Amino acid sequence: MENRDAGLIEKILDLKKRRGAVILAHNYQLGEVQDIADFVGDSLELSQNAAKTNANVIVFCGVHFMAETASILCPDKVVLLPDTNAGCPMADMITAERLREMKKEHPQAVVVCYINTSAEVKAESDICCTSANVVKLVENLDAREILFIPDQYLGNYVSARTGKEMILWPGFCPTHARIQPERIKELKQEYPRAKVVVHPECRPEVIALADEVLSTGGMCRYARRDEVLEMVVGTELGIIHRLRKENPGKRFIPVSEQAICPNMKLITLEKVLWSLEEMRPEVKVSQGVRLRAKAAVDKMLQIG
Ligand code: 13P
Ligand code: SF4
């Protein structure tokens, strides 16, 4: 650890205590940000954690929709997102207005929204999901027609797993789109004993080559298994920090060094400190939108 970081970390931890704050970080955050967090996890684990924390202030080290979800669940808490420019391009690929138009075309459809959506879009949806619970959720869904938004690749994967046809929105994650099947084939040759684990936001050609298709939290649990000694990892690069930290002696090979989500990397230690000093930028969802969005998020949390 650099001296510069040591001073910053001390200030952050001190101020965090004085503010009664908790720091939640996504698995794609910079290593130094993950290391100061009280909890590091995937989208589902972070929402579950936000829902049950006793802290007055949540510093959300992730992207905008994650902080919004925390605000939807905890309206009385201050939710800070250290850089409000940390958005999600996939979430921006659908708006509430476009969704309303689509719903008019499919009035009977149940709308399942990925958590990577704005609060307004969640408010127009029936049930929310993450990559950790979507298969279980769709399997148990009693619906003639399902409209799945906004990730076409995740939707495609869920359809294949559940055998249920769904109407898909043409959204995708630009970071996961960088993960190439050709590279996985090369790595399989190079590391024949390695397990290939990819995120369901990857393209179908990539998913077809995987031994396991898991959320980032699922990847962390899978990596702990005794039989997993080498793992080819098809997701955003930030997770490698946690995998190596928790599993010394095991080998983790990223499929692409270019699979970096620029939005996730906007959160730095300096910005975490400033957000605690100034108690902003705050993410707050208006009450009208919040209550409707909460219904969709609550249904997801009940499933777990
Ligand atoms: P999970 O961490 O929920 O698997 O999601 C990955 C992601 O892209 C978050 O934006
Ligand atoms: Fe959005 Fe992809 Fe970044 Fe996740 S990795 S926040 S889906 S752009």
Side-chain angles (χ1 to χ4, degrees):
M1 187 195 306
E2 291 174 30
N3 276 342
R4 185 193 65 100
D5 281 4
L8 264 175
I9 291 166
E10 207 181 304
K11 283 187 191 160
I12 291 170
L13 297 182
D14 174 57
L15 200 49
K16 185 186 79 161
K17 211 190 255 172
R18 285 196 278 135
R19 298 279 196 221
V22 67
I23 300 179
L24 304 183
H26 187 265
N27 288 320
Y28 297 160
Q29 288 291 291
L30 292 169
E32 60 267 31
V33 173
Q34 294 188 30
D35 291 346
I36 52 129
D38 296 290
F39 180 78
V40 184
D42 68 14
S43 312
L44 179 64
E45 294 162 340
L46 290 168
S47 326
Q48 288 166 333
N49 235 275
K52 66 171 194 230
T53 183
N54 291 322
N56 305 318
V57 178
I58 299 173
V59 182
F60 216 112
C61 301
V63 291
H64 196 263
F65 73 82
M66 296 179 175
E68 263 192 345
T69 307
S71 168
I72 289 166
L73 290 165
C74 321
D76 302 328
K77 297 188 191 305
V78 175
V79 180
L80 302 172
L81 178 65
D83 189 327
T84 40
N85 292 316
C88 168
M90 184 206 304
D92 293 340
M93 288 177 190
I94 186 164
T95 61
E97 201 183 329
R98 298 275 313 278
L99 176 56
R100 278 193 291 272
E101 284 165 17
M102 188 80 167
K103 280 165 64 175
K104 272 189 210 146
E105 287 168 34
H106 301 277
Q108 306 296 326
V110 170
V111 180
V112 179
C113 73
Y114 193 23
I115 195 164
N116 298 41
T117 44
S118 67
E120 286 80 8
V121 167
K122 288 186 178 74
E124 291 290 337
S125 303
D126 296 297
I127 183 159
C128 184
C129 67
T130 79
S131 56
N133 57 19
V134 60
V135 170
K136 187 162 84 174
L137 189 149
V138 169
E139 244 162 21
N140 294 319
L141 206 59
D142 186 17
R144 280 228 199 106
E145 219 180 5
I146 301 172
L147 177 53
F148 187 82
I149 57 164
D151 186 353
Q152 59 180 311
Y153 298 141
L154 178 65
N156 186 69
Y157 166 71
V158 175
S159 261
R161 279 285 306 271
T162 60
K164 289 193 179 180
E165 238 181 78
M166 303 198 291
I167 305 156
L168 305 180
W169 193 267
F172 66 95
C173 164
T175 299
H176 284 85
R178 292 187 161 184
I179 295 168
Q180 302 290 341
E182 293 74 23
R183 185 66 192 133
I184 298 190
K185 286 180 195 155
E186 285 169 9
L187 290 170
K188 277 182 169 219
Q189 297 271 327
E190 224 176 298
Y191 303 96
R193 281 175 317 201
K195 300 285 184 196
V196 176
V197 182
V198 307
H199 196 276
E201 286 176 18
C202 291
R203 288 182 286 135
E205 313 85 87
V206 169
I207 288 180
L209 296 170
D211 294 306
E212 299 288 336
V213 182
L214 297 168
S215 73
T216 61
M219 288 183 188
C220 292
R221 284 188 292 279
Y222 183 74
R224 286 184 212 126
R225 291 197 192 178
D226 291 341
E227 72 272 22
V228 180
L229 297 173
E230 290 183 342
M231 197 164 129
V232 168
V233 185
T235 193
E236 208 272 352
L237 202 60
I239 197 171
I240 299 291
H241 172 82
R242 178 168 170 197
L243 290 172
R244 289 188 179 146
K245 187 173 159 182
E246 291 183 351
N247 303 279
K250 294 192 180 186
R251 191 198 287 257
F252 298 97
I253 309 116
V255 178
S256 170
E257 301 275 348
Q258 272 83 49
I260 295 175
C261 175
N263 295 282
M264 286 281 180
K265 307 308 186 222
L266 286 175
I267 312 297
T268 60
L269 287 180
E270 283 87 351
K271 290 179 194 167
V272 171
L273 178 61
W274 295 334
S275 70
L276 277 166
E277 278 173 351
E278 298 177 14
M279 291 297 278
R280 71 184 181 90
E282 186 179 354
V283 172
K284 201 152 187 73
V285 178
S286 71
Q287 185 70 346
V289 171
R290 190 185 81 78
L291 290 176
R292 289 188 298 136
K294 188 170 184 294
V297 176
D298 279 346
K299 277 187 215 150
M300 169 184 90
L301 292 178
Q302 279 157 21
I303 289 168

